[in-house]
Amino acid sequence: MASGALVTTGGLLSACGTEGTAQNADSCVSEDTSSTDKKLAFSNWPQYMDVDEKDESKHPSLISFQDSTGIEVTYTEDVNDNDEFFGKVQNQLAGCQPTDRDIFVLTDWMAGRLIRLGWLQKLNKANLPNVQSNLLRSLRARPFDKNDEYAVPWQSGLTGIAYNGSVTGEVRTIDELLTRADLKGKVTCLTEMRDTMGLMLLANGHDPSNFTEAQFDDALEKLKRGVSSGQIRRFTGNDYSTDLAKGDIAACIAWSGDVIQLSAENEKIKFVAPDSGLMLWSDNMLIPNKAARKANAEKLIDYYYDPSVAAEVAAYVNYICPVEGAQEKITEIDPDLAENPLIFPDDATMNKTKVFMALDEAQERSYSTKFQQAIGA
């Protein structure tokens, strides 16, 4: 998922949080009514949960959770991109008011922003024994949540290159993507700055996890040349999937889980780790301030860190599973998936990945504004 909306500079400034919007545990006290209110509201991205093959409105893992706990879950697929969802909940969270959600799922950088603003409740680790035992070591103590106090990965993913072998040959590098003559006008990049610019930084030999403003500007010039030359057709969210499947575009910057799903329908659609490296990201389960059923939410979060349950979800969504032990369990569902390095990456793949540097508010405003201007937003 990890999608980001296009916003104007004015919208960006408001989205980054303005003076007076920050909260903390003392200024915004949340009361937990879980013991008497056996319900839970869960907002997630579309197609990010296992479904019943005979009835796609049903989610077997959620049904099992409800049956075993007696907690009724209202599950809504209303997170379409990070900035758009931020706009839905910004006023309530800034004003210490309920969002009518007990859990929502947002990408690393947006989770970091909400932590910075004091808009999330701190997790009770005593309620999360499965998380404590089974969260992959590589996803612990991340820069935006160093003590693992607020965010628990739902799924993780890789950002790299995808191409449709029905309309072009293999594409191995970002430079090929941006300059190869046969791809001109048939390339898309992502509206999510951290994915697109992360790959541009890597292609220029810079480290996306630790870069200077000059290095960012250097990488941005590479992207600008791709725009001005007509090589890049447009910038997209998840909608690149349709164009790639149809062959309307030949190659693109893409998310690994999307490409696994596309390649199941057309084996000529391939995901490639660029020679210069991949970007790694996670979408995280978060409990907002004034969510009244925190203990219920923690029970659900911990339930999804049971390896058998995690395997059930991974078999459907095809992103990187963040749960230790799920790879062994998924062999009972589909042995081929257990060997897929895009769902259970090996050390060689993970060694090629970088996580985008945590930005403070001023950096986020500056870099995002430059990026939006470069892509014509």
Side-chain angles (χ1 to χ4, degrees):
M1 306 318 183
S3 175
L6 299 182
V7 291
T8 64
T9 301
L12 177 67
L13 293 177
S14 64
C16 287
T18 56
E19 188 176 353
T21 62
Q23 297 284 354
N24 58 50
D26 294 326
S27 66
C28 187
V29 178
S30 302
E31 181 184 355
D32 191 353
T33 61
S34 295
S35 60
T36 56
D37 188 4
K38 296 297 183 183
K39 294 181 179 179
L40 175 63
F42 183 4
S43 284
N44 204 349
W45 300 74
Q47 298 181 322
Y48 224 17
M49 180 69 77
D50 55 300
V51 297
D52 188 313
E53 291 182 1
K54 296 179 181 178
D55 184 351
E56 292 193 358
S57 68
K58 294 180 179 179
H59 306 287
S61 66
L62 275 179
I63 292 170
S64 295
F65 173 77
Q66 292 177 116
D67 290 345
S68 64
T69 63
I71 297 171
E72 179 185 344
V73 180
T74 300
Y75 184 72
T76 309
E77 295 181 332
D78 63 343
V79 185
N80 293 304
D81 62 66
N82 288 286
D83 277 315
E84 179 186 325
F85 189 80
F86 183 91
K88 290 180 183 180
V89 299
Q90 178 181 9
N91 290 340
Q92 293 100 311
L93 291 173
C96 189
Q97 298 171 353
T99 63
D100 298 324
R101 299 167 175 88
D102 298 291
I103 302 175
F104 47 61
V105 177
L106 296 172
T107 308
D108 294 334
W109 63 272
M110 182 59 79
R113 181 191 292 175
L114 297 189
I115 292 169
R116 201 167 63 227
L117 289 167
W119 290 358
L120 301 177
Q121 295 190 56
K122 188 178 289 189
L123 299 168
N124 181 351
K125 295 183 181 181
N127 290 338
L128 302 170
N130 286 337
V131 176
Q132 298 302 299
S133 297
N134 300 329
L135 174 60
L136 292 178
R137 297 291 179 257
S138 59
L139 293 172
R140 297 177 186 243
R142 294 169 293 166
F144 66 92
D145 186 23
K146 291 182 178 178
N147 296 317
D148 298 322
E149 293 178 316
Y150 294 97
V152 176
W154 170 250
Q155 302 292 308
S156 296
L158 302 170
T159 308
I161 295 171
Y163 70 93
N164 187 331
S166 300
V167 295
T168 192
E170 185 179 36
V171 183
R172 290 225 57 88
T173 70
I174 294 298
D175 286 340
E176 279 187 82
L177 190 73
L178 296 183
T179 61
R180 218 168 76 186
D182 65 305
L183 299 177
K184 187 170 184 177
K186 300 176 183 178
V187 169
T188 61
C189 296
L190 292 167
T191 56
E192 172 48 57
M193 179 189 75
R194 287 156 179 83
D195 288 302
T196 293
M197 288 306 299
L199 292 181
M200 297 298 143
L201 284 159
L202 283 167
N204 275 5
H206 305 314
D207 183 352
S209 67
N210 184 21
F211 59 87
T212 65
E213 185 171 4
Q215 290 171 338
F216 182 90
D217 291 345
D218 178 41
L220 192 63
E221 286 303 315
K222 179 186 288 287
L223 184 67
K224 287 179 178 178
R225 289 193 293 272
V227 173
S228 62
S229 68
Q231 186 82 0
I232 299 172
R233 177 184 292 191
R234 66 188 183 101
F235 291 80
T236 75
N238 289 89
D239 48 324
Y240 71 83
S241 298
T242 301
D243 291 341
L244 186 63
K246 290 180 178 178
D248 291 343
I249 60 171
C252 57
I253 293 178
W255 291 308
S256 55
D258 290 343
V259 182
I260 293 173
Q261 293 175 25
L262 290 173
S263 62
E265 301 295 326
N266 179 359
E267 63 181 13
K268 291 188 176 181
I269 295 176
K270 305 288 187 181
F271 183 86
V272 174
D275 292 348
S276 51
L278 294 152
M279 295 304 296
L280 173 68
W281 50 267
S282 298
D283 290 326
N284 302 275
M285 293 180 279
L286 311 166
I287 301 177
N289 285 346
K290 306 307 285 187
R293 296 165 293 208
K294 180 171 179 281
N296 291 349
E298 290 167 337
K299 190 168 289 188
L300 183 137
I301 291 170
D302 203 57
Y303 166 79
Y304 278 101
Y305 269 70
D306 178 303
S308 296
V309 179
E312 191 174 354
V313 175
Y316 177 77
V317 303
N318 294 160
Y319 277 89
I320 294 175
C321 181
V323 180
E324 192 77 47
Q327 185 171 15
E328 291 75 18
K329 294 294 184 181
I330 209 169
T331 58
E332 301 167 13
I333 303 170
D334 185 340
D336 289 341
L337 292 178
E339 302 303 318
N340 191 319
L342 299 182
I343 301 174
F344 299 101
D346 55 21
D347 290 342
T349 301
M350 291 302 289
N351 288 339
K352 295 179 180 178
T353 67
K354 291 288 184 180
V355 175
F356 200 87
M357 183 171 75
L359 304 178
D360 61 29
E361 186 172 340
Q363 289 173 320
E364 185 173 330
R365 184 184 296 112
S366 173
Y367 292 143
S368 294
T369 300
K370 289 180 180 182
F371 178 71
Q372 299 297 330
Q373 292 170 344
I375 69 176

